Amino acid sequence: MPTPPNLRVVDQPLPYVDRLGERSLADIELVVIHCTELPDLATAREYGERVRYDSGTGNSGHYYIDRDGTVLRYVPEERIAHHVRGQNPRSLGIELVNTGRYPHWLDSRHQAMDEAYTDAQVESLVALLQDLAARLPTLRHIAGHEDLDRERVPASDDPAVLVHRKLDPGPRFPWERVLAQVPLQRLL
């Protein structure tokens, strides 16, 4: 499968990227689709740069796709990014800029994810997935963050109510459109 001609990736490594664990590219078998649940790419970058662990690293996907289709690589594939519980060593994380439930992530009254993904985002995502599948022969599966992290937690407005910790990429993500164009099987 040739590299899609319309794919341009801008490298913008996170400051702590060299502290992230290394792995062989042959270990990667899954790509996880996320949405940032933040207002814009600048805020997503700020969150990605925050150090959250004793190792001097934080939470971040490998790739970020802005609303205009711009693709940025924050973490190289051979590094293990912290983007989904229990799956990081074998997966790549792709974050789509989208407000999701921002800023009331866990408020039971604000669980709708109404922002649609742009055509430019979806086209860039498909091109990136095609490129990754061509370069990484062990990459065979795709999942949404919500498929892999089903934990329910007390709502911020009412601890007696449980809400999903993760809902991304959410109901507006065009799974059928994406899966029709990439050689990956969805994990549910």
Side-chain angles (χ1 to χ4, degrees):
M1 197 178 287
T3 299
N6 56 341
L7 179 63
R8 182 174 167 267
V9 177
V10 179
D11 280 310
Q12 288 191 353
L14 291 169
Y16 56 74
V17 75
D18 291 338
R19 293 188 184 108
L20 293 169
E22 293 185 70
R23 64 177 169 197
S24 164
L25 294 180
D27 294 338
I28 302 168
E29 57 190 50
L30 170 67
V31 63
V32 181
I33 307 299
H34 302 266
C35 82
T36 58
E37 292 205 78
L38 295 167
D40 53 39
L41 183 64
T43 307
R45 178 67 186 205
E46 177 189 320
Y47 272 70
E49 288 183 359
R50 291 181 183 176
V51 172
R52 297 192 170 286
Y53 305 109
D54 291 341
S55 63
T57 64
N59 294 331
S60 168
H62 291 84
Y63 291 93
Y64 284 70
I65 303 177
D66 206 352
R67 290 177 178 95
D68 67 359
T70 301
V71 179
L72 300 143
R73 181 175 21 230
Y74 286 3
V75 177
E77 291 102 357
E78 62 273 359
R79 295 285 180 169
I80 300 170
H82 303 290
H83 63 97
V84 62
R85 292 177 180 179
Q87 306 293 328
N88 293 323
R90 70 182 198 115
S91 68
L92 292 173
I94 300 176
E95 296 267 0
L96 302 171
V97 175
N98 184 290
T99 54
R101 301 171 291 176
Y102 176 84
H104 308 287
W105 299 282
L106 300 178
D107 188 311
S108 66
R109 301 162 297 181
H110 298 280
Q111 292 300 294
M113 297 178 73
D114 298 327
E115 182 182 351
Y117 294 94
T118 68
D119 285 338
Q121 277 181 310
V122 175
E123 289 165 14
S124 289
L125 174 63
V126 166
L128 177 59
L129 291 170
Q130 289 171 344
D131 177 62
L132 291 169
R135 291 188 298 108
L136 304 170
T138 55
L139 181 62
R140 298 220 184 340
H141 297 102
I142 186 170
H145 196 181
E146 64 194 332
D147 299 328
L148 302 172
D149 187 340
R150 298 174 187 250
E151 181 182 0
R152 294 170 63 91
V153 296
S156 58
D157 62 306
D158 182 353
V161 175
L162 296 179
V163 296
H164 289 280
R165 195 175 86 84
K166 297 297 179 183
L167 283 177
D168 58 311
R172 301 294 303 265
F173 184 75
W175 279 110
E176 287 184 21
R177 180 177 168 193
V178 171
L179 290 172
Q181 299 179 73
V182 300
L184 303 172
Q185 288 187 311
R186 185 171 180 195
L187 290 181
L188 292 173

